[in-house]
Amino acid sequence: MANIKDIAKMAGVSVTTVSRVLNNHPYVSADKKEAVRKAIELCKYQPNINAVHLSIGKTYLIGVVIPFSNHPYFGLLLEGIANEALKSNYKLVLFQTNYEELREAEALAMLKDKQIDALIICSRICEWDMIDEYLSYGRIILCEDVRGENVSATFIDHYKTFTKALTYLYDKGHKKIGYCIGRQTGTNSKQRELAYHDFMEKWDLPFEPAYIFDECLHVEDGDRVVQQVKKMSDPPSALLVTSDQVAAGIVTCCKVNNISIPEELAIMGFDNQPIAKMMNITTLEIPLVEMGKNLFRQAVEKADISQKEIFVELIERDTV
Amino acid sequence: MANIKDIAKMAGVSVTTVSRVLNNHPYVSADKKEAVRKAIELCKYQPNINAVHLSIGKTYLIGVVIPFSNHPYFGLLLEGIANEALKSNYKLVLFQTNYEELREAEALAMLKDKQIDALIICSRICEWDMIDEYLSYGRIILCEDVRGENVSATFIDHYKTFTKALTYLYDKGHKKIGYCIGRQTGTNSKQRELAYHDFMEKWDLPFEPAYIFDECLHVEDGDRVVQQVKKMSDPPSALLVTSDQVAAGIVTCCKVNNISIPEELAIMGFDNQPIAKMMNITTLEIPLVEMGKNLFRQAVEKADISQKEIFVELIERDTV
């Protein structure tokens, strides 16, 4: 039986070109396509795509590490990555990690084993050393601020953004400011925590641990936040909420509990998701779909390391 | 250089066992693991996992077709599939189709080419014939009612469920009932449409095309529905909304527009997502994460065709 090399020889093209035709890859001239098709027909060649990929050392698969599938933040990033992958005829291998380090290690191992061409890590829990170790094995793209490291990334400066939001609340007269965060252990969360501490210190504001609400991921977590705030003898006057979904939950529960917004409690969301627009929530716009698209482009482009900072705009509405 | 067969021979195990050790697959005895590891060490063997997969005809990859990544319904299904895949050491290849038939064809082609071990189709736009054609090439699992066909599925009887919801609204005195749907072309939507028409005919209710709202996918689509309802001289008194997100959007916009719920407009959601609980929306509970888990199990199990119907519970709250 003819193999891919025979086809290439017969068609007068390279093995890579044959592989591209078999994968419906763009950028193959009509002439070459036709020649490959004729050769395939003559040989009655039945391609085994895995063997083809093996022979050219390319899988047209890009790995994507996300902690959760069921979260609008990662859903929007994934939407951007997936739409861009569609355009380039790549497929995505999804690693949902639930923030287990072992799962991140598995994704890196697949990159090392060349089962994927590149790996996009949307959020991680592993130490930097582990990423660093695998950088020599393949292309890794990060969605975090790694300036100074030799790795591609599309990122937001969370320290700067958090400081911008805190300054806005402070300028509106707030002194008792708290925040809600997805998880305290992530790289982005650590930047935010640092920004918060520096801000409190700069303006000589008291640090109150009870004003920091952890594990705020979904709309229903807003209810828990409001219940806790209600119990406080000296509650915060403003909350920076790192998810519009959670902010929407807080706003809804405040209405039920007769807490007036922004008079008694000011709320600032994050992302500018549709729910923020609909409920008139003041928020910081993060173009997640665009960020996802850029992450994918960085994963497949031949260029060197690139780092792209995404700037965040403050959208003034009714909740601050 | 030693290959996988040499390792197997040296360790006194099968090629499949070597592959399992290389893939960190469970169900390999400690003795065999140790023997394989020793053999690998002795040979200084560098596995190319793609070659290993090729030799055993298994990739440990399961394809998942979803129309959108950024949609809570599919996010929850994917969460269930991904969590179950984690447990069994499988990875997922994501096909986000945006409901383009060509993308579905690509996923089926990957199954045929054995780049994935099985394909889970969460929602499709292609004709049944296309599925039927590929069933001989590999395992396909559907998330729709395909009773009578020789294919595995985890499904909801949407005809029965829609009729149940319509009956509930009718018994509450509603005669002018409309519905909001994601897209009218899908297989599930057609069942719902049929149930609606049959119900209208059975109770001799007038059919009003303006009471059917298409393209209702996200929370912000609720605003469009409310704007249209407001313009009607004879608006519906109740809406069946096939997404809790859209239902939440409608409820929020009705408040802004001083339309009282349920007095002027009754709203029944679908899925029982956290937002429905938080906003006290009457809804139909669909256990999407559980459905996702079952879809994955059907994709990897060795058993014959299985079809599992999921039953839907009506959750009475304040919006009907």
Side-chain angles (χ1 to χ4, degrees):
Chain A
M1 203 179 97
N3 66 26
I4 191 169
K5 283 182 193 161
D6 301 327
I7 302 290
K9 206 172 166 188
M10 198 181 287
V13 300
S14 69
V15 167
T16 304
T17 301
V18 177
S19 149
R20 284 192 174 159
V21 174
L22 293 173
N23 279 294
N24 297 315
H25 198 274
Y27 313 130
V28 181
S29 74
D31 284 3
K32 286 187 178 172
K33 253 187 215 171
E34 191 48 33
V36 170
R37 278 187 189 143
K38 269 191 188 156
I40 286 172
E41 220 183 295
L42 279 168
C43 300
K44 299 195 190 313
Y45 173 67
Q46 279 291 343
N48 178 322
I49 292 288
N50 290 322
V52 171
H53 290 162
L54 195 59
S55 74
I56 58 163
K58 212 170 170 184
T59 61
Y60 292 100
L61 294 174
I62 303 291
V64 182
V65 167
I66 56 170
F68 319 108
S69 306
N70 167 34
H71 191 276
Y73 176 92
F74 297 107
L76 286 162
L77 268 183
L78 191 56
E79 183 89 6
I81 295 169
N83 277 320
E84 204 66 17
L86 273 186
K87 283 194 212 158
S88 321
N89 249 328
Y90 275 80
K91 306 291 178 285
L92 303 178
V93 176
L94 191 69
F95 299 91
Q96 180 185 310
T97 62
N98 297 356
Y99 280 130
E100 291 172 30
E101 196 169 347
L102 181 62
R103 304 308 171 185
E104 297 176 359
E106 285 176 358
L108 289 162
M110 268 185 84
L111 182 70
K112 186 179 174 184
D113 289 339
K114 307 219 178 294
Q115 289 180 282
I116 49 178
D117 294 346
L119 183 65
I120 299 169
I121 301 179
C122 295
S123 182
R124 69 179 162 102
I125 196 160
C126 72
E127 294 291 322
W128 173 255
D129 284 354
M130 194 154 108
I131 303 292
D132 203 33
E133 186 192 325
Y134 281 88
L135 275 173
S136 59
Y137 295 117
R139 206 168 179 87
I140 300 175
I141 316 295
L142 295 170
C143 187
E144 62 186 278
D145 186 353
V146 282
R147 281 174 289 194
E149 302 289 348
N150 195 29
V151 58
S152 289
T154 301
F155 68 96
I156 285 159
D157 185 332
H158 283 285
Y159 184 96
K160 196 163 68 185
T161 305
F162 224 62
T163 304
K164 181 179 184 170
L166 289 165
T167 306
Y168 180 78
L169 292 172
Y170 187 83
D171 289 348
K172 288 268 184 176
H174 293 284
K175 302 286 176 281
K176 294 184 289 178
I177 306 172
Y179 71 90
C180 303
I181 202 135
R183 55 184 184 118
Q184 292 187 312
T185 45
T187 40
N188 291 340
S189 297
K190 280 178 190 160
Q191 281 185 40
R192 286 162 166 173
E193 193 184 349
L194 189 62
Y196 182 77
H197 280 278
D198 287 354
F199 192 88
M200 294 292 121
E201 206 173 286
K202 181 183 172 191
W203 296 105
D204 206 18
L205 301 173
F207 175 71
E208 174 54 70
Y211 288 0
I212 300 168
F213 302 86
D214 200 0
E215 298 291 326
C216 293
L217 290 162
H218 299 286
V219 73
E220 63 269 29
D221 294 318
D223 185 40
R224 176 170 47 89
V225 172
V226 173
Q227 296 314 324
Q228 286 182 30
V229 167
K230 268 175 69 181
K231 281 189 215 142
M232 292 181 190
S233 56
D234 188 26
S237 70
L239 284 178
L240 197 44
V241 186
T242 62
S243 149
D244 279 336
Q245 302 289 317
V246 179
I250 292 175
V251 170
T252 305
C253 289
C254 279
K255 274 183 196 155
V256 175
N257 287 280
N258 292 316
I259 297 170
S260 69
I261 290 176
E263 295 77 12
E264 287 175 76
L265 186 66
I267 297 293
M268 173 170 283
F270 250 84
D271 298 350
N272 197 26
Q273 287 186 24
I275 201 167
K277 195 176 174 192
M278 211 183 68
M279 296 181 71
N280 266 316
I281 296 171
T282 301
T283 190
L284 292 143
E285 182 165 58
I286 301 184
L288 291 165
V289 175
E290 276 314 308
M291 285 180 75
K293 286 182 179 178
N294 203 62
L295 286 166
F296 180 83
R297 285 192 293 263
Q298 289 176 312
V300 296
E301 72 191 4
K302 281 187 183 150
D304 285 345
I305 301 302
S306 67
Q307 298 191 340
K308 180 168 180 156
E309 182 177 352
I310 302 291
F311 295 95
V312 172
E313 202 187 332
L314 201 150
I315 314 279
E316 294 190 273
R317 294 203 183 101
D318 297 348
T319 58
V320 175
Chain B
M1 201 179 98
N3 66 24
I4 189 171
K5 282 182 195 163
D6 301 328
I7 302 291
K9 208 171 159 185
M10 198 180 287
V13 299
S14 69
V15 167
T16 305
T17 300
V18 177
S19 151
R20 284 194 173 155
V21 174
L22 294 172
N23 279 294
N24 297 317
H25 197 276
Y27 313 130
V28 181
S29 73
D31 284 4
K32 284 185 179 173
K33 253 187 214 166
E34 192 46 37
V36 171
R37 278 185 191 144
K38 269 192 186 154
I40 286 173
E41 222 184 291
L42 279 167
C43 299
K44 299 198 191 308
Y45 173 67
Q46 278 290 341
N48 179 323
I49 291 289
N50 290 322
V52 171
H53 290 162
L54 196 59
S55 73
I56 57 161
K58 211 169 171 184
T59 61
Y60 292 98
L61 294 174
I62 303 291
V64 182
V65 167
I66 56 170
F68 319 109
S69 306
N70 167 32
H71 191 277
Y73 176 93
F74 296 107
L76 287 164
L77 268 185
L78 193 55
E79 183 89 7
I81 295 170
N83 276 321
E84 204 65 17
L86 272 187
K87 282 194 215 161
S88 322
N89 249 328
Y90 274 79
K91 307 287 178 285
L92 303 178
V93 177
L94 192 68
F95 300 92
Q96 181 182 310
T97 62
N98 297 356
Y99 280 130
E100 290 172 30
E101 196 169 346
L102 181 62
R103 304 309 172 185
E104 298 176 356
E106 285 176 358
L108 289 163
M110 270 186 82
L111 182 70
K112 187 179 171 183
D113 290 339
K114 308 218 177 295
Q115 290 181 280
I116 48 178
D117 294 345
L119 183 65
I120 298 169
I121 302 179
C122 295
S123 183
R124 68 181 164 103
I125 197 160
C126 73
E127 294 289 322
W128 174 254
D129 285 355
M130 194 155 108
I131 303 291
D132 204 30
E133 187 192 325
Y134 281 87
L135 275 173
S136 58
Y137 295 117
R139 205 169 179 86
I140 300 175
I141 316 294
L142 295 170
C143 188
E144 61 186 277
D145 186 354
V146 281
R147 281 173 290 192
E149 301 290 349
N150 195 28
V151 57
S152 289
T154 301
F155 68 96
I156 285 159
D157 184 333
H158 283 286
Y159 185 96
K160 197 163 67 184
T161 305
F162 224 62
T163 305
K164 184 180 183 169
L166 288 165
T167 305
Y168 180 78
L169 293 171
Y170 186 83
D171 289 349
K172 289 264 186 180
H174 293 284
K175 302 286 175 280
K176 297 186 286 178
I177 306 172
Y179 70 91
C180 302
I181 202 136
R183 55 180 185 122
Q184 293 187 311
T185 44
T187 40
N188 291 340
S189 297
K190 280 177 189 160
Q191 282 184 40
R192 287 161 165 172
E193 193 184 351
L194 189 62
Y196 183 77
H197 280 278
D198 287 353
F199 191 88
M200 294 292 122
E201 209 173 282
K202 182 183 172 190
W203 298 104
D204 206 20
L205 301 172
F207 176 71
E208 176 53 70
Y211 289 0
I212 299 169
F213 302 86
D214 202 359
E215 299 290 325
C216 292
L217 290 163
H218 299 285
V219 73
E220 62 270 31
D221 294 316
D223 186 40
R224 175 170 48 89
V225 172
V226 173
Q227 297 312 324
Q228 285 181 31
V229 166
K230 268 176 68 182
K231 281 187 214 142
M232 292 182 190
S233 57
D234 187 24
S237 69
L239 285 177
L240 197 46
V241 186
T242 63
S243 148
D244 279 336
Q245 303 287 316
V246 179
I250 293 175
V251 170
T252 304
C253 290
C254 279
K255 273 183 196 156
V256 175
N257 287 279
N258 291 316
I259 297 170
S260 70
I261 289 177
E263 294 76 11
E264 287 175 76
L265 186 65
I267 297 294
M268 174 173 282
F270 250 82
D271 298 350
N272 197 27
Q273 287 185 24
I275 202 168
K277 194 177 173 189
M278 211 182 69
M279 296 180 72
N280 265 317
I281 297 172
T282 301
T283 191
L284 293 143
E285 182 166 56
I286 301 185
L288 290 164
V289 174
E290 277 311 308
M291 285 180 75
K293 286 183 180 179
N294 204 62
L295 285 165
F296 180 81
R297 284 192 293 261
Q298 288 176 313
V300 295
E301 72 192 0
K302 281 189 180 147
D304 285 344
I305 301 302
S306 66
Q307 298 191 340
K308 181 169 178 157
E309 181 176 351
I310 303 291
F311 296 93
V312 171
E313 204 186 330
L314 202 150
I315 313 279
E316 293 190 274
R317 294 200 184 103
D318 297 350
T319 58
V320 175

